[in-house]
Every structure is written in structure tokens, then in C-alpha cells.
Amino acid sequence: MSNDSVKQEQINKAVWNACDTFRGTVDPSIYKDYVLTMLFVKYLSDVYQDHYDNYVTEYGDTPELIEELMKNERFVLPRDSGFYALYDQRHEPGNGERIDKALHAIEEANIVKLADVFQDISFNSNKLGDEKQKNDILRHLLEDFARPELNLRPSRIGKLDVIGNAYEYLIKNFAATSGKKAGEFYTPPEVSELMAEIVEPKEGDEICDPACGSASLLLKCANQVRKSHDGSKNFALFGQEAIGSTWALAKMNMFLHGIDNHKLEWGDTIRNPKLLDENGGLKHFDIVVANPPFSLEKWGFEGADSDPYSRFRRGVPPKSKGDYAFILHMIETLKPKTGRMAVVVPHGVLFRGSAEGKIRQKLIEEKLLDAVIGLPEKLFYGTGIPAAVLVFRKDKTDNNVLFIDASREFQAGKNQNQLSDENIAKVVDTYKQRENLDKYAYLASLEEIRENDFNLNIPRYVDTFEEEEEIDLMAVQAERKDIEAEIAKLNEQMDGYLKELGYGA
């Protein structure tokens, strides 16, 4: 085991143990924001202190010079706003109020990067109980993060991703314990990995997730560029998220992974898209990926007819199901001729009729739909239903659509199933080969899809029927007679033994 993996495990365990302070008192869906925010503050404080100590070593007792140098830090930490100032006062009343003031000061000092990031969280909230209980909980939280295992100084940790990975580890664990709410902020890492490998981000790409949650999917895309191009950071990430606390998680997630070249907006993507170009139109991207909320009921139907961006020119999705609203938004934000897109959808998107059927037909006839990939059930947090990934490309040259039925190949888990590396590799290889594979993939022509009335239900195209082995009745009969003869022989032997022992007549 490498030193890095040991450190990662130690840090993961230490941050997860810090949650014990809240367990049994506060719901995980609430305390996750406190723990993740404290991890971010601790990271900023340790990096700042590490650099300060280095300057003292280098320049000696020249506080004015060091103070000037510290103004150029990636994040500036105002006096008395760092973790250690809060820790030193932990036994005094007012921990909640002090932490809130510190967050406000940190935000003000780094307004370009952190504007509004902490406005949706209050450590002085009644959610943590009455004043005495709250003060006690926060004292324990500060002490948990002061443990030696959570010394996050770069001189000790070395690789920045160790902190980012710990943050992702926490988010994943919170998702596993948050029930339905988990789907609001987290896409399982192996699904994100699959989607990122399918769309193949390249150097220089602008990548967007219009329902970005905690930004895990965007980070997987960023990793693809880094892996394929020698650690390159030549890409830009964009996202929008409707829930304020989740948007804040996404921002912190980006910074902890060392990705400052991002633009994440807070707001409703359908009602109020915020990623616009210089002319006020929708900004176009090389890659668009998303795991939007399944069949959102109140998605903004009322204003769709007069949408200023003409996103619903192929038809307005039904009032009570917003799946195609997100798909159409994403299509409209792809760069002409080169854009690639992958989106997670519930299976109803593949076959529902009426308005959705007409929209689906137009997307297929416009040669935009490239592939339909059926995923196993129980992959996603908060729902057990199976889902599919739709892949769209603006650079398609044929009318065909590849169907992949990956629903039967997974690692079974008690509550959640998972895709293994082999499962992911098989889907990606099949997608790239774009050829038929018995009981797994089928390349359908436009004519075949039209014959199916533009219904994309995967079993219509991929035959996974397994014929049962034919039973040889004569062989079974012969085997039965052999067994009967063997039993008769054994009975005869047994009678003989009993007679020898004096039993029986």
C-alpha cells in the first residue's frame, strides 16, 4: 500500500468520525453542510499557516514583508477568522456566532471566488439545538478537526487531490445515508466516470453541467482531460445548480480539487439560465453532461411557450414531467457541428408518447441521437429504478442509433449496485466500436426506429432472450431407472447388515 493511499484512508476516516458529533442529534441531510464547510475552512487555514511559516523561515522576523506576501495567497485569511482562532476560543460561549462571523470575513476577503458561498449556512442556527447544546456540538466539531490526522498542511499532505478526494468521500457517504435527498446533489462516481469516458473531453474544451449538484460529474470530465493530456489544466468547467446549499458544496469541491477555472451559477436552469454569451444568448459548449432530477413535476411549463431562447421549438414537454425540458436545454447549448452530450434519464423518456413522443421523433430525425445505454437498477441514490444514458452528438454523419443493454452486468450490493471498471470498459468499448454485439448491443437504422414508431425501449432492439436448454426426456428416464436400481441395491445391502446384527426376521 502506498503512502498516499494510507494518508487518504486516514483522512477519510478522520473526517467521517467527525460526524459522530452530530449523529443522533441532527439529521445527516443537515449536518453534512456543517462538516463539509468546516473541512473547507480547515483546509484554507492549514494552507495559509503553512505558507506563512515558510515565509518566516525564508525571510525571518520581517512581519511587514510577510504580511504583503500573504496578500497574494490563493485565498486570503483575515486575522482571527481562521480555524485556529476559533479553536482557541472553543470553550467560551458563542461558538456559532463566532464561526458565522469568520465565514463572512473569509467571504469578504475573497469576494471574487467565494461570493455567496457561505450565505446559505449558519452555524448559529437553531437546527443544532438550544444555545448550550449548540455550543457543545461546535466545540466537539472544532476539536475533531484539530486532530493530528486532519493536519491538512501541504507540507504534510503533498497532493492537493487528497483533500478533494476526502471531500468527495464525505459527499458519497452522506448520499448513501440521505435517502431521496441524495439524488439532489450526487451522481454515483462510476456513472459519472462512464459518462465522462463516453464524451471524451479534450484539451481546450468548455464543459458544462446545467444541473451540476456537487460538481462530481464535472470533476470526472476534468480528470479525463488531465489523464489524457499529461495533467493538463487546459479546460474550463461551467455549471448551474438550483439549490443554494448544493451550489455552495460544488464551489468548495472545485477549489479543494485545485480547479479555479470554473464558473458555477446558482439558479433554476430552465426558468432562468445564467450561462449566457456576450449577446445574452445561451452560451455554447463542447461538452454538456448532466444527471437532472427525474421527471420533475414543476419544471417551468408555464413560461415554456414564450421561452426567449427558443429551447422548446421542437415541442413543449408535459406539465408534470420535466425530463425533456432539460434534454432540450442541453441540446441548445451544444456547439454547432462539434458538441457532444450525455444525459441520465428515467426509462419513460424512451417510450412515452404525446408531446414527448413528438420531441423524441424530431431529435432522432435531426440525426442528433447517437446512443441509448440501459443501466442496471439500484445504481442511483434515492431511487431503485433503472435509468438510461442518452448520448447526443452534433458531429454525427449517419442516421443510426446504437443501443447498449448494460442492465445485467454490475456488482450487486445490499442497498446500491455498482458498475465495476470492467463493466464501464465494456460499455465504452462497445460505444466506440459501434457494432452489433450478441445480446448486448445493436446498431439500429432510422428505418427500424421509424417502424417502432420512434419508441426507443431497449428490448425492441437488443434481444437478450436466453433460450432454455432442451430437456432430453429419454435420458432423464434412463437416469431415474439407474437411481431406482441403485436404491434397491442399497436397501438389499442394508437388510443384510441388519440381519447379521440380529435385527429383523
Side-chain angles (χ1 to χ4, degrees):
M1 189 178 291
S2 70
N3 288 335
D4 284 338
S5 63
V6 171
K7 286 178 184 174
Q8 187 70 66
E9 288 168 9
Q10 288 173 339
I11 291 171
N12 289 353
K13 188 178 176 187
V15 292
W16 189 239
N17 286 344
C19 301
D20 287 342
T21 289
F22 294 96
R23 290 191 179 107
T25 309
V26 185
D27 189 84
S29 63
I30 294 173
Y31 71 66
K32 84 174 193 313
D33 294 335
Y34 294 104
V35 174
L36 291 168
T37 302
M38 188 56 73
L39 176 61
F40 185 65
V41 172
K42 182 65 167 44
Y43 163 71
L44 296 187
S45 303
D46 280 348
V47 171
Y48 195 83
Q49 192 62 46
D50 208 35
H51 291 181
Y52 183 88
D53 291 348
N54 288 340
Y55 285 137
V56 169
T57 303
E58 190 171 352
Y59 299 107
D61 189 18
T62 52
E64 296 82 8
L65 172 61
I66 293 172
E67 197 167 322
E68 281 302 310
L69 290 169
M70 293 304 290
K71 288 178 182 174
N72 296 319
E73 284 291 291
R74 183 168 167 239
F75 288 96
V76 176
L77 210 58
R79 195 182 300 276
D80 298 331
S81 298
F83 173 84
Y84 295 101
L86 298 168
Y87 175 78
D88 289 343
Q89 300 176 78
R90 68 190 184 282
H91 291 293
E92 299 173 20
N95 278 328
E97 190 179 353
R98 265 194 305 279
I99 296 174
D100 280 356
K101 281 183 179 175
L103 294 180
H104 181 70
I106 294 171
E107 188 176 315
E108 285 290 309
N110 303 275
I111 196 69
V112 174
K113 288 178 177 166
L114 297 180
D116 295 332
V117 165
F118 301 127
Q119 81 164 17
D120 219 33
I121 185 165
S122 172
F123 283 76
N124 203 25
S125 165
N126 291 334
K127 291 176 184 174
L128 299 180
D130 61 23
E131 190 59 34
K132 184 174 182 305
Q133 176 177 307
K134 180 170 56 187
N135 214 54
D136 198 45
I137 286 176
L138 294 177
R139 174 176 67 79
H140 281 294
L141 184 66
L142 289 164
E143 288 174 351
D144 288 336
F145 274 89
R147 294 166 68 89
E149 304 94 290
L150 287 180
N151 174 357
L152 307 177
R153 289 178 174 228
S155 56
R156 172 179 178 259
I157 297 297
K159 292 165 64 178
L160 187 67
D161 269 356
V162 175
I163 315 295
N165 292 342
Y167 194 78
E168 282 276 325
Y169 170 85
L170 273 181
I171 292 175
K172 181 181 178 183
N173 277 280
F174 285 131
T177 57
S178 294
K180 283 191 172 181
K181 289 185 177 179
E184 294 176 355
F185 61 87
Y186 194 64
T187 301
E190 67 272 15
V191 176
S192 297
E193 178 67 25
L194 171 67
M195 295 170 72
E197 291 189 26
I198 289 282
V199 294
E200 283 189 287
K202 296 179 171 51
E203 262 192 320
D205 274 355
E206 293 182 309
I207 304 164
C208 179
D209 181 345
C212 70
S214 57
S216 302
L217 182 48
L218 281 173
L219 289 167
K220 286 287 185 189
C221 289
N223 280 344
Q224 284 296 311
V225 181
R226 286 171 159 178
K227 276 198 297 188
S228 307
H229 300 87
D230 197 24
S232 170
K233 287 190 174 184
N234 182 15
F235 55 83
L237 302 182
F238 297 81
Q240 185 162 341
E241 169 56 39
I243 301 169
S245 57
T246 305
W247 169 81
L249 290 186
K251 290 281 289 183
M252 289 187 272
N253 205 5
M254 286 283 177
F255 289 124
L256 288 174
H257 279 89
I259 296 178
D260 290 2
N261 53 336
H262 68 260
K263 183 178 183 183
L264 301 184
E265 297 287 355
W266 175 5
D268 185 317
T269 287
I270 304 301
R271 291 182 176 85
N272 185 20
K274 290 189 166 180
L275 295 167
L276 306 176
D277 62 21
E278 59 277 11
N279 299 314
L282 293 175
K283 181 171 172 57
H284 293 152
F285 303 96
D286 299 285
I287 286 175
V288 181
V289 288
N291 173 22
F294 286 179
S295 302
L296 192 64
E297 289 188 11
K298 296 178 181 176
W299 57 269
F301 174 84
E302 295 75 15
D305 260 340
S306 55
D307 180 57
Y309 308 102
S310 302
R311 289 173 292 177
F312 308 112
R313 56 192 166 86
R314 297 178 181 87
V316 176
K319 186 175 182 179
S320 60
K321 286 188 171 55
D323 301 307
Y324 273 98
F326 283 96
I327 293 172
L328 292 175
H329 170 87
M330 294 170 74
I331 293 276
E332 292 301 318
T333 60
L334 286 174
K335 282 188 179 175
K337 299 181 182 177
T338 60
R340 292 99 75 195
M341 159 181 158
V343 57
V344 181
V345 296
H347 274 230
V349 165
L350 305 180
F351 56 78
R352 288 194 297 252
S354 301
E356 292 178 292
K358 290 174 186 170
I359 295 169
R360 189 168 59 241
Q361 178 176 343
K362 287 181 181 175
L363 293 174
I364 295 166
E365 288 179 335
E366 288 177 34
K367 292 198 302 185
L368 290 169
L369 181 63
D370 193 44
V372 178
I373 302 169
L375 300 175
E377 63 179 6
K378 289 173 36 180
L379 280 186
F380 293 86
Y381 297 100
T383 177
I385 66 169
V389 173
L390 299 184
V391 183
F392 294 87
R393 300 185 74 101
K394 287 274 189 158
D395 58 354
K396 256 174 76 76
T397 55
D398 61 26
N399 287 324
N400 301 331
V401 176
L402 180 68
F403 289 83
I404 298 176
D405 184 351
S407 63
R408 297 180 302 166
E409 300 189 9
F410 58 89
Q411 288 181 327
K414 187 178 177 186
N415 297 316
Q416 300 289 142
N417 294 328
Q418 289 189 331
L419 295 175
S420 67
D421 291 345
E422 291 74 23
N423 298 146
I424 294 170
K426 183 174 179 181
V427 174
V428 174
D429 289 345
T430 305
Y431 173 75
K432 289 180 178 174
Q433 292 295 323
R434 207 166 172 74
E435 292 176 353
N436 295 342
L437 189 58
D438 188 36
K439 302 191 187 311
Y440 191 77
Y442 183 77
L443 188 63
S445 67
L446 176 60
E447 289 69 31
E448 288 173 282
I449 296 172
R450 186 176 284 126
E451 285 169 11
N452 277 303
D453 200 21
F454 295 94
N455 184 322
L456 300 177
N457 211 11
I458 297 170
R460 288 185 179 229
Y461 304 92
V462 183
D463 178 12
T464 57
F465 180 73
E466 297 280 359
E467 286 190 13
E468 291 186 15
E469 194 176 337
E470 198 171 313
I471 298 172
D472 185 341
L473 290 176
M474 295 308 292
V476 172
Q477 174 73 355
E479 189 178 354
R480 191 173 67 85
K481 284 185 175 176
D482 287 345
I483 292 171
E484 285 175 347
E486 185 70 16
I487 291 173
K489 189 177 173 185
L490 288 171
N491 282 336
E492 193 177 331
Q493 281 181 346
M494 182 62 76
D495 287 344
Y497 295 145
L498 289 172
K499 204 174 280 182
E500 285 177 18
L501 292 169
Y503 295 100

